[in-house]
Amino acid sequence: MIAELGLAALWLAAALAALQMIAGFMAVRDDGKGELAGLIRPAAIMQGVLVTLSFAMLVWLFAITDLSVKLVASNSHSMKPLIFKLSGSFGNHEGSMLLWVMVMGLAGALIALVERRLPERTMNATLAAQGVVALGFYAFLLLSSNPFERMPNPPAEGMGLNPLLQDIGLVFHPPTLYLGYVGLSVAFSFAVGALLTRQVTPDFARAMRPWVLGAWVLLTIGITAGSYWAYYELGWGGWWFWDPVENASLMPWLAATALLHSASVLASRDALRTWTIMLGVVAFSMSMVGTFLVRSGILTSVHAFAVDPERGTFILVLLGIFIGGALLLFAMRANTINEGQRFALASREGALVFNNVMLSAILAIVLLGTLYPLLTEAFDVRVSVGPPYFNPVGAIFTIPMLAVMAVGPLLRWRQDRVDRIGKEIALFAALVLAALILFSLLAEIALLPLLGLALGLGLAVASLLPLRGRKLSRTPLATWGMVVAHFGIAVALIGMASESAFTEERLAAVEEGGSATVGPWTVVLQGVEPVAGPNWTAIEGRLSASYNGGEAKVLAPQARNFWAPPQQTTESALVTRWNGQLYAVVGDRAADGRWQLRLWWKPFVTLIWYGGLLVALGGVLALIGRLLSDLRHRRLAARIAERRADREAVA
Amino acid sequence: MSALKPKHQRLVLVVLALVALVGAGLLAAYALRSQASYFYLPEQMLADPPEVGQAVRLGGMVEEGSLQTADDGITLTFAVTGNEGSRVPVRFSGIAPDLFVEGSGVVAEGRLGADGTFVADNLLAKHDENYVPRELQEMEQHQAAKMAEETTVGLE
């Protein structure tokens, strides 16, 4: 019964999305006087409510492990801990698509409820565009990926969830990323709405900016968390593999970063109008390309197209309609959008444009590298693209971008002279050069980590310069946000470079009571014991590790065996110090009774994720700052209107 | 620098963006062409070996009966086989990934040594029974069912 209710709610929500779309377009055509105009906002709100109900029913079905539902039977198991039953509801294709439309429905409802800044006509066009996108996804779910499908002969027990996903990091990781993706769908709808009504104004950018900021913050957190998850859960000690699934989240982040900066220029300086619209379209396109690369099965196996041609074709058609349609609209309308304000190339805007272009170039490189194996596949050539491509080719554009990022925020808006900030540029260059010389003398480091360390250190100092000479308590939150985010990039960069330059690794076969050293650490294997969890058994190594002979810390890495589905996972153990992490994995037992140990000492590796969190924090600060100043403006406008009304009443 | 005329400014921006994007595309295309030789099947590695020391991937099946652990307890030697009876010996120091067993699929990252042994830095084995890496699809069906997986850090 619950499954049928969920499906019914989904159909109703889809119908409301259709209504929202039709009423929206009619209102735009009839200049807001369309007969259905009054239905647009209520439809958007009800759609959000219904799709949320539908998702709640799916979660409920997973919670009670209703095995007569095909999705539950193939992805869950009654023995699984409750939290993983719940996360299992979106740890699969159908459920994650339902999560996606739910977030999208909620976003639409939120716009309908709170957005008052956009002109009514643009607002209607925006909600109409959102209706189109949502409808596409509803159709995809209902026609080819029904999450509520029943099984004629329910099995006695479910298949279980992939054990790698049975981790707390993976409970929060996909929803975070999805919220980010969907935030970009709102930016896309705004861009399409503004194109339809030709009202690309600073007000439009101000209305769009919080959505982009929010999406960007969530993407940043999602990517950071995903990287840390891969690092500790896979047991390989790596934090980024240039895997297509990772690239799928990186590409929208790159586009959103560019969009964020260009929307800021449009909001505060009324320039870059068409560019901002273009990025709005591109950013969402990237999140769709990303989602579908992951969701269509095209990545895990090209056979997915043959096995389920319906789903694959559906995806391509949706991609074509949304992206193609938006680009066509853009091509038709772009030259009718009025010129924005002018600016000199040497100016804050100029620096931002440069970084936008560099970000786009990096995006193109990642996109090509990710799609290339799929393209050559069509010609029966199998290729695998990895770090030897992404690292050096990406670096060619990342390095100038980081350099401009260091000094760009010091330039004045509109028009400036580069020689005015000569001292700051010299300081940055001197820092980078000094670091380059110092590190290349001190240790043998490969070129990229060396450049990363030097640029990171220079950027860390330069990113704080915009605060110089300011009263810190009076500095706007948005400025703080920029400084913190840029500083976070520098911190993450230093962490990445330090990890690749200074990591020490030790592999050893150790008997119980024996020891191994790595870097400054001495690790003693005290014993290996069997342990059991709710749906797994494991062997657990008991290690005591001391740093330079100091007090010993206890580590307990495990090798787990899950039984539904049967699979092994590696649970690494970590000791975190301020200057790095010790990473330990226990492996197999050799014939002579010794245990394999793999140990890494990774100096400053944690800076990678602290940096990522700082970047997200910067976004949050900017978001709060913007929302507060919006509120202040709104109050001010209300007071002015009140006074005017008073005066008129007196007169 | 003085403010440019709007038309000129737009032109400069468009040209700048185009140059950067086309540059990125060309660079990527050039770099990707050399990546075509990044992944090797055993028969390819024997017929047209990569340069000694060049970072490549080797993918195939772990030959039954070939897996041995050296006295140090951490060095594995085995052979990777492909179609047409081809066979490449591999040496790997480290903890083998979960589900790395004889007769199953593997992708080894590393470089070919001067003695013809492939020295792996990393072994990628499957972590999902449904998955078949693209590069190994043409192998026999019963083998394909047991194929290795690449480094999918995925949501699914």
Side-chain angles (χ1 to χ4, degrees), chain A residues 570-583:
Chain A
T570 304
E571 306 292 314
S572 58
L574 299 163
V575 177
T576 306
R577 281 175 55 92
W578 65 272
N579 61 345
Q581 265 183 339
L582 173 70
Y583 187 116

PDB file of all heavy atoms in Angstrom, chain A residues 570-583:
ATOM      1  N   THR A 570      38.524  -2.773   3.648  1.00  0.00           N
ATOM      2  CA  THR A 570      39.670  -2.440   4.477  1.00  0.00           C
ATOM      3  C   THR A 570      39.323  -1.230   5.322  1.00  0.00           C
ATOM      4  O   THR A 570      38.895  -0.218   4.779  1.00  0.00           O
ATOM      5  CB  THR A 570      40.870  -2.093   3.583  1.00  0.00           C
ATOM      6  OG1 THR A 570      41.095  -3.188   2.724  1.00  0.00           O
ATOM      7  CG2 THR A 570      42.093  -1.813   4.405  1.00  0.00           C
ATOM      8  N   GLU A 571      39.442  -1.360   6.623  1.00  0.00           N
ATOM      9  CA  GLU A 571      39.220  -0.206   7.495  1.00  0.00           C
ATOM     10  C   GLU A 571      40.594   0.241   7.976  1.00  0.00           C
ATOM     11  O   GLU A 571      41.217  -0.420   8.798  1.00  0.00           O
ATOM     12  CB  GLU A 571      38.332  -0.574   8.686  1.00  0.00           C
ATOM     13  CG  GLU A 571      37.004  -1.216   8.315  1.00  0.00           C
ATOM     14  CD  GLU A 571      36.061  -0.248   7.624  1.00  0.00           C
ATOM     15  OE1 GLU A 571      35.922   0.891   8.098  1.00  0.00           O
ATOM     16  OE2 GLU A 571      35.460  -0.647   6.605  1.00  0.00           O
ATOM     17  N   SER A 572      41.037   1.363   7.435  1.00  0.00           N
ATOM     18  CA  SER A 572      42.348   1.846   7.841  1.00  0.00           C
ATOM     19  C   SER A 572      42.258   2.440   9.245  1.00  0.00           C
ATOM     20  O   SER A 572      41.170   2.724   9.738  1.00  0.00           O
ATOM     21  CB  SER A 572      42.822   2.914   6.866  1.00  0.00           C
ATOM     22  OG  SER A 572      41.881   3.961   6.835  1.00  0.00           O
ATOM     23  N   ALA A 573      43.402   2.586   9.892  1.00  0.00           N
ATOM     24  CA  ALA A 573      43.424   3.269  11.187  1.00  0.00           C
ATOM     25  C   ALA A 573      44.372   4.450  11.077  1.00  0.00           C
ATOM     26  O   ALA A 573      45.382   4.383  10.371  1.00  0.00           O
ATOM     27  CB  ALA A 573      43.899   2.314  12.277  1.00  0.00           C
ATOM     28  N   LEU A 574      44.014   5.535  11.735  1.00  0.00           N
ATOM     29  CA  LEU A 574      44.770   6.774  11.575  1.00  0.00           C
ATOM     30  C   LEU A 574      45.159   7.349  12.926  1.00  0.00           C
ATOM     31  O   LEU A 574      44.404   7.260  13.882  1.00  0.00           O
ATOM     32  CB  LEU A 574      43.913   7.825  10.856  1.00  0.00           C
ATOM     33  CG  LEU A 574      43.434   7.484   9.451  1.00  0.00           C
ATOM     34  CD1 LEU A 574      42.298   8.391   9.044  1.00  0.00           C
ATOM     35  CD2 LEU A 574      44.580   7.637   8.484  1.00  0.00           C
ATOM     36  N   VAL A 575      46.367   7.922  12.991  1.00  0.00           N
ATOM     37  CA  VAL A 575      46.714   8.781  14.125  1.00  0.00           C
ATOM     38  C   VAL A 575      46.972  10.160  13.539  1.00  0.00           C
ATOM     39  O   VAL A 575      47.773  10.301  12.616  1.00  0.00           O
ATOM     40  CB  VAL A 575      47.987   8.305  14.849  1.00  0.00           C
ATOM     41  CG1 VAL A 575      48.331   9.287  15.967  1.00  0.00           C
ATOM     42  CG2 VAL A 575      47.795   6.922  15.403  1.00  0.00           C
ATOM     43  N   THR A 576      46.256  11.141  14.039  1.00  0.00           N
ATOM     44  CA  THR A 576      46.404  12.491  13.496  1.00  0.00           C
ATOM     45  C   THR A 576      47.213  13.350  14.465  1.00  0.00           C
ATOM     46  O   THR A 576      46.913  13.405  15.646  1.00  0.00           O
ATOM     47  CB  THR A 576      45.026  13.127  13.284  1.00  0.00           C
ATOM     48  OG1 THR A 576      44.243  12.253  12.487  1.00  0.00           O
ATOM     49  CG2 THR A 576      45.144  14.475  12.591  1.00  0.00           C
ATOM     50  N   ARG A 577      48.252  13.952  13.962  1.00  0.00           N
ATOM     51  CA  ARG A 577      49.007  14.956  14.710  1.00  0.00           C
ATOM     52  C   ARG A 577      48.874  16.281  13.986  1.00  0.00           C
ATOM     53  O   ARG A 577      48.411  16.325  12.864  1.00  0.00           O
ATOM     54  CB  ARG A 577      50.487  14.577  14.749  1.00  0.00           C
ATOM     55  CG  ARG A 577      50.883  13.519  15.755  1.00  0.00           C
ATOM     56  CD  ARG A 577      52.352  13.188  15.568  1.00  0.00           C
ATOM     57  NE  ARG A 577      53.172  14.395  15.660  1.00  0.00           N
ATOM     58  CZ  ARG A 577      53.728  14.839  16.783  1.00  0.00           C
ATOM     59  NH1 ARG A 577      53.581  14.160  17.893  1.00  0.00           N
ATOM     60  NH2 ARG A 577      54.455  15.939  16.798  1.00  0.00           N
ATOM     61  N   TRP A 578      49.344  17.360  14.611  1.00  0.00           N
ATOM     62  CA  TRP A 578      49.233  18.654  13.936  1.00  0.00           C
ATOM     63  C   TRP A 578      50.028  18.662  12.639  1.00  0.00           C
ATOM     64  O   TRP A 578      49.675  19.347  11.687  1.00  0.00           O
ATOM     65  CB  TRP A 578      49.708  19.785  14.867  1.00  0.00           C
ATOM     66  CG  TRP A 578      51.178  19.700  15.192  1.00  0.00           C
ATOM     67  CD1 TRP A 578      51.744  19.004  16.211  1.00  0.00           C
ATOM     68  CD2 TRP A 578      52.249  20.295  14.456  1.00  0.00           C
ATOM     69  NE1 TRP A 578      53.099  19.116  16.177  1.00  0.00           N
ATOM     70  CE2 TRP A 578      53.450  19.921  15.105  1.00  0.00           C
ATOM     71  CE3 TRP A 578      52.340  21.105  13.332  1.00  0.00           C
ATOM     72  CZ2 TRP A 578      54.703  20.318  14.657  1.00  0.00           C
ATOM     73  CZ3 TRP A 578      53.591  21.505  12.890  1.00  0.00           C
ATOM     74  CH2 TRP A 578      54.753  21.113  13.543  1.00  0.00           C
ATOM     75  N   ASN A 579      51.082  17.864  12.566  1.00  0.00           N
ATOM     76  CA  ASN A 579      51.946  17.942  11.386  1.00  0.00           C
ATOM     77  C   ASN A 579      51.774  16.761  10.445  1.00  0.00           C
ATOM     78  O   ASN A 579      52.620  16.515   9.604  1.00  0.00           O
ATOM     79  CB  ASN A 579      53.404  18.060  11.814  1.00  0.00           C
ATOM     80  CG  ASN A 579      53.864  16.848  12.620  1.00  0.00           C
ATOM     81  OD1 ASN A 579      53.036  16.073  13.084  1.00  0.00           O
ATOM     82  ND2 ASN A 579      55.151  16.677  12.772  1.00  0.00           N
ATOM     83  N   GLY A 580      50.673  16.032  10.577  1.00  0.00           N
ATOM     84  CA  GLY A 580      50.462  14.967   9.608  1.00  0.00           C
ATOM     85  C   GLY A 580      49.716  13.781  10.198  1.00  0.00           C
ATOM     86  O   GLY A 580      49.256  13.821  11.337  1.00  0.00           O
ATOM     87  N   GLN A 581      49.585  12.757   9.371  1.00  0.00           N
ATOM     88  CA  GLN A 581      48.843  11.577   9.803  1.00  0.00           C
ATOM     89  C   GLN A 581      49.650  10.305   9.585  1.00  0.00           C
ATOM     90  O   GLN A 581      50.315  10.150   8.553  1.00  0.00           O
ATOM     91  CB  GLN A 581      47.538  11.450   8.999  1.00  0.00           C
ATOM     92  CG  GLN A 581      46.344  12.061   9.680  1.00  0.00           C
ATOM     93  CD  GLN A 581      45.066  11.848   8.909  1.00  0.00           C
ATOM     94  OE1 GLN A 581      45.090  11.593   7.706  1.00  0.00           O
ATOM     95  NE2 GLN A 581      43.948  11.951   9.592  1.00  0.00           N
ATOM     96  N   LEU A 582      49.551   9.403  10.549  1.00  0.00           N
ATOM     97  CA  LEU A 582      50.045   8.046  10.360  1.00  0.00           C
ATOM     98  C   LEU A 582      48.849   7.214   9.917  1.00  0.00           C
ATOM     99  O   LEU A 582      47.775   7.293  10.508  1.00  0.00           O
ATOM    100  CB  LEU A 582      50.613   7.488  11.672  1.00  0.00           C
ATOM    101  CG  LEU A 582      51.014   6.016  11.636  1.00  0.00           C
ATOM    102  CD1 LEU A 582      52.246   5.810  10.772  1.00  0.00           C
ATOM    103  CD2 LEU A 582      51.283   5.496  13.049  1.00  0.00           C
ATOM    104  N   TYR A 583      49.043   6.428   8.860  1.00  0.00           N
ATOM    105  CA  TYR A 583      47.944   5.696   8.234  1.00  0.00           C
ATOM    106  C   TYR A 583      48.341   4.235   8.217  1.00  0.00           C
ATOM    107  O   TYR A 583      49.416   3.893   7.715  1.00  0.00           O
ATOM    108  CB  TYR A 583      47.798   6.235   6.817  1.00  0.00           C
ATOM    109  CG  TYR A 583      46.630   5.756   5.990  1.00  0.00           C
ATOM    110  CD1 TYR A 583      45.651   6.653   5.589  1.00  0.00           C
ATOM    111  CD2 TYR A 583      46.533   4.438   5.550  1.00  0.00           C
ATOM    112  CE1 TYR A 583      44.601   6.251   4.785  1.00  0.00           C
ATOM    113  CE2 TYR A 583      45.486   4.032   4.754  1.00  0.00           C
ATOM    114  CZ  TYR A 583      44.523   4.937   4.375  1.00  0.00           C
ATOM    115  OH  TYR A 583      43.475   4.544   3.566  1.00  0.00           O
TER     116      TYR A 583
END
